[in-house]
Amino acid sequence: MVQRAVLTLLVGCAVAFAAPTDTVASISDATISKVKANAVKISTHSWEIGTALEALTELEWPSLSVFGGSLPPPVKLSSGTASDVIQWATKIVKAKNPNSLPLIDGDGAVGDPASIGTAVLLTNWTRTDRSDHEFSTAAGHQLTYLLDDAPRTSDGAISHRSEQVQLWADFVYMAPPFIAYFGALKGGSGGLSLLKIAYQQCKLYRQHLRDSSGLWKHIVLGSWQDNHHWGTGNAWAAAGMMRVLETIHHSKLASQMQSEQNDLKSWINEIVSASWKHQVCVT
Ligand SMILES: *[C@@H]1O[C@H](CO)[C@@H](O)[C@H](O)[C@H]1NC(C)=O
């Protein structure tokens, strides 16, 4: 399970595509350690840091990931728990420009900095200094940027680019899981509407990017497009929807979002089934 998470997220986010378990189990701890060390070392861009933080959480602290335990997570963590994730998120927040809403520079991408937001929310939730509101404020700014500032399509899809309205499959892994996690921690009617926004963004992105093959294109709208079925892009979309689904499922609001969970499952399956036809199986 843990190895599958690291495979999923570090090696190009290729969704585990129901890979035979023996293949997964054959990846040694030593290999995983190397992949992990390298991922931490080379991650400098917002989306890389967000993905690495998520992979570390799933690998080392699975009960704190959205696949693991009920949400919200515990307020008090035993000493050392998630320390690598928390330290990295803390470093980002301490370095944040107070005048900018996103957590970090996104190289023109709207969605990418939000990928770090999940770790920032976890850091806020479990912080030992309860009078420190810096993490909460930073996460709130990131959400405000996505919901109120970023450009959108006329039907409401949040653009992946800041300079023009353009939708990229990658967005689905970067932003909706953060919006959903924010909602699961917030709870109540405000939390429910955030979970619904996360779901709605997945729905809109699918409407714009999926074609009759069941696969998603990479980039649509704006001044240029990439209509190819980029494999990793399909994996970003499926894995992002999986995190939104699991966040809803483990939240206190799960029973109020049954049809949304069913939709997400079928949209993930749609990508996995359509991709499966293109797998070259080496035995
Ligand atoms: C930060 O944590 C506090 C609990 O200490 C919580 O009330 C607040 O909603 C959290 N902020 C966010 C943005 O989740």
Side-chain angles (χ1 to χ4, degrees):
M1 192 55 174
V2 157
Q3 291 170 341
R4 179 170 297 205
V6 114
L7 253 192
T8 303
L9 292 164
L10 298 187
V11 190
C13 190
V15 171
F17 285 131
T21 3
D22 52 345
T23 318
V24 173
S26 69
I27 293 180
S28 67
D29 287 352
T31 301
I32 290 180
S33 300
K34 276 192 202 160
V35 171
K36 181 185 130 181
N38 203 41
V40 169
K41 197 169 116 199
I42 65 173
S43 297
T44 52
H45 295 96
S46 60
W47 65 274
E48 295 165 342
I49 298 171
T51 304
L53 283 166
E54 177 62 23
L56 288 177
T57 308
E58 290 177 24
L59 172 68
E60 298 178 329
W61 323 104
S63 69
L64 294 175
S65 89
V66 297
F67 298 94
S70 58
L71 295 169
V75 167
K76 212 169 151 38
L77 300 179
S78 55
S79 162
T81 300
S83 56
D84 48 358
V85 172
I86 288 169
Q87 276 167 22
W88 204 350
T90 301
K91 211 171 109 189
I92 302 278
V93 170
K94 296 288 170 199
K96 179 180 177 288
N97 174 353
N99 299 319
S100 109
L101 291 176
L103 285 162
I104 189 174
D105 178 59
D107 304 297
V110 165
D112 291 353
S115 65
I116 299 170
T118 309
V120 172
L121 285 168
L122 179 66
T123 302
N124 169 65
W125 199 261
T126 59
R127 72 203 187 281
T128 42
D129 179 0
R130 304 307 281 178
S131 65
D132 183 354
H133 301 297
E134 198 176 357
F135 300 100
S136 187
T137 304
H141 282 170
Q142 178 64 69
L143 185 73
T144 301
Y145 177 65
L146 289 177
L147 301 188
D148 301 337
D149 236 43
R152 293 196 188 217
T153 59
S154 55
D155 59 0
I158 300 168
S159 173
H160 187 59
R161 298 296 304 173
S162 55
E163 79 283 3
Q164 63 172 336
V165 175
Q166 197 174 52
L167 308 185
W168 298 32
D170 334 13
F171 175 90
V172 176
Y173 190 84
M174 301 299 152
F178 163 67
I179 299 170
Y181 194 69
F182 204 117
L185 300 198
K186 191 180 177 83
S189 60
L192 185 64
S193 35
L194 288 175
L195 286 169
K196 289 194 170 166
I197 290 170
Y199 160 82
Q200 190 66 22
Q201 288 301 315
C202 295
K203 180 176 181 161
L204 288 165
Y205 264 72
R206 175 175 169 275
Q207 279 167 10
H208 283 279
L209 289 165
R210 184 194 58 133
D211 65 23
S212 56
S213 69
L215 292 170
W216 290 30
K217 301 171 194 172
H218 180 198
I219 297 169
V220 298
L221 308 181
S223 55
W224 56 280
Q225 294 78 38
D226 176 8
N227 291 321
H228 291 106
H229 300 133
W230 179 39
T232 309
N234 277 273
W236 286 128
M241 290 193 288
M242 185 76 102
R243 284 175 60 201
V244 171
L245 169 67
E246 290 292 301
T247 307
I248 296 170
H249 176 67
H250 286 108
S251 78
K252 294 195 169 74
L253 301 158
S255 65
Q256 296 177 56
M257 292 187 68
Q258 209 52 62
S259 71
E260 289 87 346
Q261 292 177 74
N262 292 340
D263 284 347
L264 287 163
K265 279 181 207 166
S266 89
W267 301 338
I268 295 161
N269 269 323
E270 178 178 61
I271 291 179
V272 173
S273 307
S275 306
W276 189 246
K277 297 185 192 120
H278 301 279
Q279 296 306 298
V280 178
C281 292
V282 182
T283 46

